[in-house]
Amino acid sequence: MAILITAVAPIVALMTYIYLNKKVELEPLHLIFRVFIIGSLLVFPIMFVQYGLEQEGLLRHSVWEPFLFAGVPEEFFKWFFFMFIVYKHEDFDHHYDGIIYGVSLSLGFATVENIIYLFSNGIEIAFFRAVFPVSSHALLGLVMGYFLGRAKFRVEKKGVSIAFAFIVPAVLHGVYGYLVSLESWIYGLLPFMIILWGFSVQLIRLANKHESIA
């Protein structure tokens, strides 16, 4: 029970922060929860794909491995299901909604992954997991949701925004994975996370600004 509470606590904190930062009408909790559950279920097909790639031995021990094994499959599945389930939903009616649903989808995935890691490695790594993997999943979902919100509610360059919604999180995810693989990972990962947080806060402001002038 302690592990479950420790695994879920940072997810609840991050989701609450994102949810309450919306400046106009709040989103229905039932849809947020539904998207969260879908994100949690994505762990299993993604693990299957990653297992297949691992068996093929593609780009093993290469600088591109974090991009191929984590960045591309994880962000593609999230992007695909966002487009399939959320993008045309009637409750996706503000730019900032993309951020909320993108974070919810990613945190669903992060919750299951976090529980698995904590049960496998012990509660001692909970703080590290909360600061780095869990928050990075949330922020990558935020970036994805921002671009999909931009695609839905701005007339110009919709296709570019939809493409960026996959490409930018996938690249950032790959960079994160590469930094983690380094021997002195903390010296690269810490500034990366600070920059990612700063970038994400700016996207929150831009999405809310778009609401105020819409």
Side-chain angles (χ1 to χ4, degrees):
M1 183 60 69
I3 289 179
L4 286 175
I5 293 173
T6 305
V8 172
I11 280 85
V12 173
L14 286 165
M15 192 69 244
T16 301
Y17 170 75
I18 297 300
Y19 181 74
L20 294 179
N21 259 281
K22 189 179 181 184
K23 300 304 182 185
V24 293
E25 62 176 328
L26 296 177
E27 290 305 286
L29 291 175
H30 68 87
L31 182 57
I32 294 174
F33 183 70
R34 178 186 171 193
V35 172
F36 179 88
I37 294 299
I38 291 168
S40 67
L41 295 175
L42 289 180
V43 170
F44 304 103
I46 290 172
M47 287 176 62
F48 177 79
V49 170
Q50 290 173 330
Y51 176 78
L53 291 172
E54 184 178 1
Q55 293 303 304
E56 292 294 325
L58 299 175
L59 300 178
R60 185 170 296 173
H61 307 303
S62 164
V63 68
W64 299 109
E65 184 177 354
F67 296 87
L68 176 67
F69 281 82
V72 171
E74 290 184 21
E75 301 308 325
F76 174 78
F77 271 87
K78 295 173 192 174
W79 174 86
F80 177 83
F81 278 91
F82 192 112
M83 293 296 298
F84 184 70
I85 295 170
V86 179
Y87 189 75
K88 294 185 179 181
H89 198 284
E90 61 182 8
D91 285 317
F92 184 11
D93 53 2
H94 297 95
H95 188 169
Y96 192 89
D97 295 351
I99 287 177
I100 291 177
Y101 294 122
V103 171
S104 180
L105 189 68
S106 290
L107 284 179
F109 179 91
T111 299
V112 176
E113 184 184 68
N114 205 32
I115 290 171
I116 292 172
Y117 269 90
L118 292 185
F119 270 107
S120 300
N121 300 285
I123 202 170
E124 296 81 10
I125 65 168
F127 179 76
F128 164 80
R129 294 284 310 169
V131 172
F132 294 109
V134 172
S135 61
S136 67
H137 275 297
L139 298 178
L140 294 176
L142 188 156
V143 173
M144 180 180 293
Y146 171 83
F147 281 110
L148 288 174
R150 183 184 178 93
K152 184 163 184 177
F153 298 105
R154 295 194 178 185
V155 176
E156 74 280 4
K157 299 181 179 179
K158 286 182 176 289
V160 173
S161 292
I162 290 173
F164 274 20
F166 164 60
I167 294 170
V168 176
V171 170
L172 290 174
H173 197 145
V175 171
Y176 173 91
Y178 171 73
L179 293 173
V180 169
S181 70
L182 299 177
E183 184 175 353
S184 302
W185 56 269
I186 191 66
Y187 298 109
L189 191 59
L190 196 56
F192 173 81
M193 290 300 299
I194 292 171
I195 292 169
L196 184 57
W197 264 107
F199 179 52
S200 299
V201 169
Q202 182 62 23
L203 294 185
I204 288 175
R205 291 174 179 167
L206 288 173
N208 274 320
K209 183 179 179 180
H210 179 252
E211 300 300 345
S212 67
I213 63 176

